[in-house]
Structure formats: C-alpha cells, structure tokens
Amino acid sequence: MKGHSFLAFVSGAALGTALALLFAPEKGRKTRRKLKDMMDKEQEMIMRSIKKCKRDLPQEIQDIIE
C-alpha cells in the first residue's frame, strides 16, 4: 500500500511540474526539452519503483498469510 501512495505522490508532482513548465515564459523548444528530460527521469524512477514492488510483493504476501 505504501508503494501506491508514493507512486501517486510522484505522479502528482510530475504532473504539477509539467503544468508549471507549460505555463512558464520560456521558448517552446526549451520548454519541450525540459518536459522530455523530466518525463524521462520520472519514467525511470517509476520503473524502478515497479521493479521493487514486484521483488518485494511475494514476501509481503507471505507475511500476510502467516
């Protein structure tokens, strides 16, 4: 359950940052580059979180069963 809350927080932060960049007074090309870089970093972090959940989930289920 903790992983879901963290993932929701990270997703919300990424969305907020993306919206802030879209409304920032910079040139479009520079803003798009920043958005792409940010989204690449967020995607990498989310994928690491998913892999960690997959790795830890069997043990958590076993702990619940016992």
Side-chain angles (χ1 to χ4, degrees):
M1 190 58 80
K2 290 180 185 178
H4 294 289
S5 298
F6 178 72
L7 189 58
F9 173 77
V10 169
S11 299
L15 181 59
T17 303
L19 288 173
L21 283 172
L22 286 173
F23 290 102
E26 291 185 353
K27 292 188 176 194
R29 181 175 289 156
K30 189 173 182 180
T31 300
R32 287 190 297 274
R33 187 178 313 125
K34 281 184 177 182
L35 281 172
K36 182 186 180 314
D37 291 344
M38 181 196 65
M39 294 307 292
D40 288 345
K41 288 177 186 177
E42 293 297 325
Q43 181 181 14
E44 184 178 323
M45 189 168 67
I46 290 170
M47 293 306 293
R48 277 187 268 144
S49 294
I50 290 171
K51 286 178 184 177
K52 182 182 181 303
C53 287
K54 283 181 178 180
R55 184 185 68 229
D56 295 345
L57 188 60
Q59 182 61 45
E60 290 182 23
I61 291 172
Q62 188 64 32
D63 291 345
I64 292 170
I65 292 172
E66 294 175 350

